[in-house]
Amino acid sequence: MTTLANAWSFFQNQILGIHWLNVLIGKLLTAIGLSPDGKLHGSLQFFLYDSIKIFFLLSVLIFIITYIQSYFPPQKTRRLLGRVKGLPGRCLGALLGVLTPFCSCSSIPLFIGFSSAGLPIGVTLSFLIMSPMADLGSLTMLLSEFGGKIALAYLVTGFLIAVIGGTIIEKLGMENQVADFIRNAKAMEQEEEELTVSDRLHIAVEGVADIVKRVWMYIFLGVAIGSLIHNVIPQEIIQGLLGGEHWYSVLLACLVGVPMYADIFGAIPVAESLLFKGAGLGTVISFMMSVTALSLPSMIMLKKAMKPKLLALFIGLVAVGIITIGYFFNAFAYLFL
C-alpha cells in the first residue's frame, strides 16, 4: 500500500505537477544572480513554471481529446444526445461538457447548434453550464495543483449544478424562451467523412493550435496575477478579505469573478495563489466557477441566444449553485485539505 501511495505521489508531483521543472527554474534564476529569498526571484519562478506547465499540459491533453473527438463529429453527437431523454439525457449533456475542451465562447455556438437540432433544453443547458466550468484538461491541472480530493469534488459539484440547473429549466418548460432564430432554424446534416489516422492527427494538431490561440492571453494574465498574489500581496490582506471564516468571502469572490473573462486555465493560477495566501477553499472554488460560467462577456453573448426570462433564470440558478457550493466547501474544508 505504501508503494502504491508513493507511486501516486510521484505521478501527481513529478508527472502532472512537473515539480522538477520548478526546482530547475529556481536554480537557473539563482545561477544568474537573483537571491532565492527575493520577491523578484519568487515572482519570476512562479510565472515561468506555471506558464510552461499549463501550456505543456494543455497542449498534450487537448491533442489527445481532439483526436478522440474526431470519431464523434457534431452530427453524430446530436443523434446520440437526441436518443437519450430525461435525467439520463441531462447527465449525458453535462458529461459531454466535461469531455469538450471549450471556454464559453466555443460552448455557446455548440449550444445554439444543439438547440437548433431540437434537443431538449435541459440537455443543452446542462452542457452549456458544464462545458466552460470543467473539462479533462482543467481537471488534470486541478489534480496537479490541489490534489485528487479537491479536483474530484470540483467535478462532482460542478456536475450537480449543471444537471440540477438543466432539470429545473426543463421542468419549467422554457423551450419557448430560446431565441426564435434558433428554435426556427433547422440543423443541416452533413455527410460524415471517412478520416485516416493522418487526418485525425492533423485535426488534433489544429485543435491544439486553435485552443492555444484562443486562451494564451488569459493564461499569461492569470499566471501574472497569481504571481503577484503569491509573492507580493501580504497574506493578511487576502485572509482579511477572502478567509473562509468570513460570511461575505464567497459572495465577494463571485462578484470579482463575473466581470473577468478567462477560461479555467487562466483562473487556476489565481486560485492557487489565493489558497496559498489563506483564502477559503470554498471561496476559491466559487471564484473559479464564476469566472468560467458567469463571466460578463459570456452573458452578453448568451443574450443573443436566450430571451430575458431564460437568461435571468440561467444566471440565477448557476449563481445560487456556485454560492451554495462555496459555503459548503468553506464549512468542510478540513475534509479536503
Side-chain angles (χ1 to χ4, degrees):
M1 199 66 176
T2 302
T3 303
L4 186 62
N6 290 337
W8 171 252
S9 178
F10 177 83
F11 175 75
Q12 182 175 327
N13 294 327
Q14 302 302 333
I15 305 300
L16 291 181
I18 322 179
H19 285 186
W20 57 268
L21 177 64
N22 193 29
V23 175
L24 177 61
I25 291 173
K27 290 181 178 179
L28 290 175
L29 291 174
T30 302
I32 64 174
L34 295 179
S35 169
D37 299 323
K39 290 183 178 180
L40 180 59
H41 183 287
S43 298
L44 285 175
Q45 183 174 2
F46 184 98
F47 183 83
L48 293 172
Y49 166 63
D50 264 43
S51 297
I52 295 171
K53 177 179 66 174
I54 290 174
F55 278 110
F56 172 74
L57 290 176
L58 177 66
S59 299
V60 171
L61 290 163
I62 297 305
F63 181 89
I64 295 171
I65 294 168
T66 307
Y67 184 88
I68 295 172
Q69 283 180 340
S70 69
Y71 289 93
F72 300 93
Q75 57 268 29
K76 183 180 290 186
T77 302
R78 286 199 298 266
R79 290 198 295 270
L80 174 64
L81 290 175
R83 289 198 295 264
V84 186
K85 309 294 183 182
L87 181 61
R90 294 187 287 274
C91 290
L92 189 59
L95 179 61
L96 179 65
V98 177
L99 299 177
T100 50
F102 297 140
C103 58
S104 56
C105 60
S106 301
S107 301
I108 292 172
L110 268 180
F111 160 74
I112 293 173
F114 290 155
S115 299
S116 300
L119 295 182
I121 191 170
V123 175
T124 60
L125 262 296
S126 293
F127 165 80
L128 182 63
I129 295 170
M130 193 68 200
S131 180
M133 194 181 296
D135 57 47
L136 293 178
S138 63
L139 290 173
T140 303
M141 281 296 302
L142 286 168
L143 182 63
S144 70
E145 299 292 354
F146 299 111
K149 289 193 291 185
I150 293 177
L152 180 60
Y154 182 91
L155 172 64
V156 170
T157 52
F159 193 88
L160 286 174
I161 291 177
V163 174
I164 292 172
T167 299
I168 292 174
I169 288 173
E170 185 167 314
K171 295 300 183 184
L172 290 175
M174 289 287 184
E175 287 83 0
N176 63 351
Q177 293 298 309
V178 176
D180 292 334
F181 79 91
I182 297 174
R183 292 195 299 121
N184 297 331
K186 292 185 178 179
M188 298 291 292
E189 283 292 335
Q190 297 178 344
E191 187 175 337
E192 294 180 19
E193 299 180 58
E194 287 294 330
L195 300 175
T196 65
V197 172
S198 178
D199 292 332
R200 298 185 194 282
L201 290 173
H202 181 69
I203 290 171
V205 171
E206 287 187 333
V208 172
D210 179 61
I211 295 294
V212 170
K213 185 166 59 177
R214 289 173 183 264
V215 305
W216 68 268
M217 181 172 59
Y218 304 113
I219 291 175
F220 278 137
L221 180 61
V223 174
I225 294 173
S227 178
L228 181 68
I229 294 171
H230 200 278
N231 295 283
V232 178
I233 298 179
Q235 183 169 344
E236 294 76 18
I237 294 178
I238 301 297
Q239 286 181 327
L241 289 173
L242 300 176
E245 69 277 9
H246 302 307
W247 67 268
Y248 53 80
S249 64
V250 170
L251 298 175
L252 182 59
C254 288
L255 289 174
V256 170
V258 167
M260 299 178 66
Y261 181 72
D263 70 346
I264 186 66
F265 287 97
I268 286 176
V270 181
E272 174 195 3
S273 295
L274 289 173
L275 190 63
F276 176 80
K277 280 296 181 79
L281 175 61
T283 305
V284 167
I285 288 177
S286 294
F287 168 77
M288 288 192 291
M289 287 183 169
S290 65
V291 166
T292 54
L294 285 178
S295 67
L296 186 59
S298 300
M299 296 305 102
I300 293 173
M301 292 174 66
L302 272 182
K303 190 175 183 295
K304 303 294 184 180
M306 296 179 180
K307 295 180 180 178
K309 186 177 179 180
L310 177 57
L311 181 60
L313 182 60
F314 172 84
I315 294 172
L317 288 173
V318 175
V320 168
I322 290 173
I323 291 169
T324 302
I325 285 169
Y327 284 119
F328 170 81
F329 276 108
N330 273 349
F332 298 99
Y334 63 90
L335 297 175
F336 301 95
L337 296 173

